[in-house]
Amino acid sequence: MNFSWSKSIVWVVRLSSTTRVRIQKAFRGLCILLPGISGFFSPAPAEIELVLPGVLPGELVSEARDVSGDGSVVVGVSGDRIWRWENGRLSDPGYVNRGGWRNSDATSISISNDGMALLASAPGYRGGIYTWDEGQWRFLIREQHSYWSSILSGDGETVCFNKRGQSYRWRDGEYRRLAMPSEFHITKANALSDDGRVAVGFALDRYRNMSYIRNRILITEAALWKDGKVISLKYPPEMDSSLARAVSADGRYIAGDAYKATFKLERGNYTACLWEVGKVMTLPPPPEPEAYSSAADVSGDGTIVVGRTGIGDPPVLKSNRITEPYDAESRACIWSVDTDWGPVDLNDLLDANGVGRQGFVLDRATAISADGTTIVGYGITAAGRRQAFILRMGGTAGTLVAR
């Protein structure tokens, strides 16, 4: 195994008791890490941090993709290489290079709640799904097909993967295809509950979408799979398409997006959503005209959603893939039950509390730990380079909210 280390700078802000209570109440103990790169400092429960884990040697950019249940382990990519961050250290688990494919071609990365299981999928003639074990990548599922993506349950025992437009659930060495919703022909699973019994994602009908081929904006419907059955998750009345990206630990809350698949995806027609037992609630963007919101993940108890907002062009589903071009107006954002699900820009929150970001802009939040204490994602440095960020707090959410 090859390890590479990144030095880091950590800024710690000691908040007044009034400010601390306000933040704790609003975000149920969410912690904001200040700009820096991994460190060895152990903050007190009342402190807030923002850490930039940096990049692997020889690379210029990095992104954080997933986080363990307690926020202690983060995984992501730096250039064309996968990295793992733990205890302030950035390590390089090596290339997923079976069949000559490099990590740049790995279509997904996910990690279990305990941080021990790391999953990646790679396409190609010798493509498949890999786990990182004892210092090397090993095949978990091996077939001569391209894999769209794979996801891992919180307990590390169940995998969902997508192959040739169909979604499959793997556990105990066997896998079965997920049920197809009526009138649909393609499915994609995006997330699993902790026990792997619930999967969420979306379905689309290739024939229904023929009229949209010219603009390549596809009509989709969010879906939930459980106990061999599939349930369609309806979109808000003003929209005609939806997709699910994340699910709470118990499978009760689902986060995703809804949009209106007009021939031109107009600004203002795209919004983040949260589903619960047949109900759907929109998670609004800021009040600026033509703004949009997009959800990426939800906490284990379903009380916090992370993602981004912006006033540029929204994400677009093209050729069965979510295409999200860089948007200079995009900002990492959270929605919380304790803020009545109003959007909170993480950049504004840091600025309001006197935290110097040194020109770093938190662009997108991509994942939140199950306990709601750590948010990961990526942003743009003052030099204009994309770099991963980790936002965490010193204590647990329950401890801070109780104060």
Side-chain angles (χ1 to χ4, degrees):
M1 183 191 329
N2 296 321
F3 289 92
S4 299
W5 315 101
S6 287
K7 296 181 179 179
S8 76
I9 304 171
V10 176
W11 286 264
V12 178
V13 172
R14 297 182 180 276
L15 303 174
S16 68
S17 59
T18 301
T19 302
R20 192 162 60 238
V21 169
R22 184 181 302 117
I23 294 177
Q24 293 160 4
K25 184 176 181 180
F27 303 107
R28 300 181 65 87
L30 282 174
C31 170
I32 315 303
L33 301 138
L34 306 176
I37 309 172
S38 65
F40 301 92
F41 186 89
S42 297
E47 295 170 338
I48 296 177
E49 294 180 299
L50 169 59
V51 174
L52 302 183
V55 300
L56 292 174
E59 305 294 347
L60 298 176
V61 298
S62 64
E63 299 179 8
R65 298 287 182 83
D66 202 5
V67 58
S68 63
D70 63 0
S72 62
V73 182
V74 180
V75 294
V77 294
S78 182
D80 61 359
R81 297 150 66 187
I82 293 173
W83 54 260
R84 185 177 187 272
W85 183 94
E86 183 177 14
N87 296 326
R89 305 178 187 183
L90 197 67
S91 62
D92 180 0
Y95 284 110
V96 181
N97 58 3
R98 298 298 179 98
W101 293 94
R102 292 162 67 92
N103 281 355
S104 58
D105 294 302
T107 51
S108 62
I109 310 167
S110 57
I111 193 169
S112 60
N113 276 344
D114 62 9
M116 300 301 292
L118 177 60
L119 186 77
S121 55
Y125 176 73
R126 297 189 63 191
I129 299 173
Y130 296 79
T131 58
W132 189 60
D133 182 40
E134 296 181 353
Q136 61 181 319
W137 292 101
R138 302 178 185 273
F139 271 119
L140 178 67
I141 302 173
R142 180 176 180 177
E143 291 189 19
Q144 295 179 354
H145 299 293
S146 295
Y147 285 84
W148 190 354
S149 65
S150 59
I151 50 177
L152 185 66
S153 61
D155 62 10
E157 299 294 328
T158 305
V159 174
C160 265
F161 62 92
N162 302 281
K163 180 182 67 173
R164 292 184 172 179
Q166 304 295 312
S167 296
Y168 297 81
R169 180 180 180 271
W170 179 96
R171 190 178 180 94
D172 298 327
E174 298 181 352
Y175 62 87
R176 296 181 179 180
R177 192 177 75 173
L178 297 181
M180 184 70 66
S182 176
E183 300 181 359
F184 287 86
H185 299 84
I186 297 173
T187 60
K188 182 179 185 296
N190 286 326
L192 283 165
S193 60
D194 273 6
D195 62 7
R197 292 185 60 196
V198 177
V200 300
F202 66 87
L204 63 88
D205 182 351
R206 65 166 66 94
Y207 302 111
R208 183 183 174 200
N209 280 285
M210 288 301 294
S211 62
Y212 292 85
I213 291 298
R214 178 177 297 179
N215 296 282
R216 305 183 74 190
I217 300 172
L218 304 182
I219 298 175
T220 64
E221 187 163 286
L224 178 149
W225 291 269
K226 182 179 181 181
D227 299 331
K229 300 179 180 179
V230 60
I231 300 172
S232 294
L233 303 174
K234 298 303 180 181
Y235 35 77
E238 64 274 17
M239 305 297 181
D240 59 18
S241 295
S242 59
L243 56 95
R245 286 202 182 96
V247 62
S248 62
D250 61 3
R252 180 178 178 182
Y253 300 93
I254 300 101
D257 295 345
Y259 60 98
K260 188 174 182 180
T262 55
F263 282 95
K264 179 181 179 182
L265 190 58
E266 299 174 354
R267 296 180 179 182
N269 285 340
Y270 200 105
T271 182
C273 292
L274 184 67
W275 286 269
E276 179 196 4
V277 193
K279 300 182 295 183
V280 60
M281 172 179 63
T282 59
L283 304 176
E288 287 86 352
E290 300 182 338
Y292 70 88
S293 58
S294 179
D297 201 8
V298 62
S299 61
D301 62 2
T303 62
I304 304 166
V305 176
V306 300
R308 67 187 178 105
T309 61
I311 50 179
D313 292 332
V316 178
L317 187 67
K318 293 185 176 180
S319 301
N320 306 353
R321 294 177 181 267
I322 294 294
T323 302
E324 298 182 291
Y326 171 68
D327 174 8
E329 297 299 327
S330 175
R331 296 293 183 268
C333 182
I334 66 171
W335 298 263
S336 168
V337 65
D338 288 304
T339 58
D340 294 326
W341 299 108
V344 177
D345 184 327
L346 296 180
N347 297 278
D348 290 345
L349 181 65
L350 294 179
D351 294 345
N353 287 279
V355 177
R357 293 181 283 113
Q358 308 300 314
F360 184 77
V361 177
L362 284 68
D363 185 39
R364 302 181 189 181
T366 56
I368 184 171
S369 60
D371 65 5
T373 65
T374 305
I375 301 173
V376 302
Y378 56 89
I380 307 299
T381 67
R385 292 177 178 173
R386 180 175 296 186
Q387 191 167 130
F389 70 76
I390 305 170
L391 299 102
R392 63 179 183 175
M393 63 185 174
T396 64
T399 300
L400 292 178
V401 171
R403 294 180 179 179

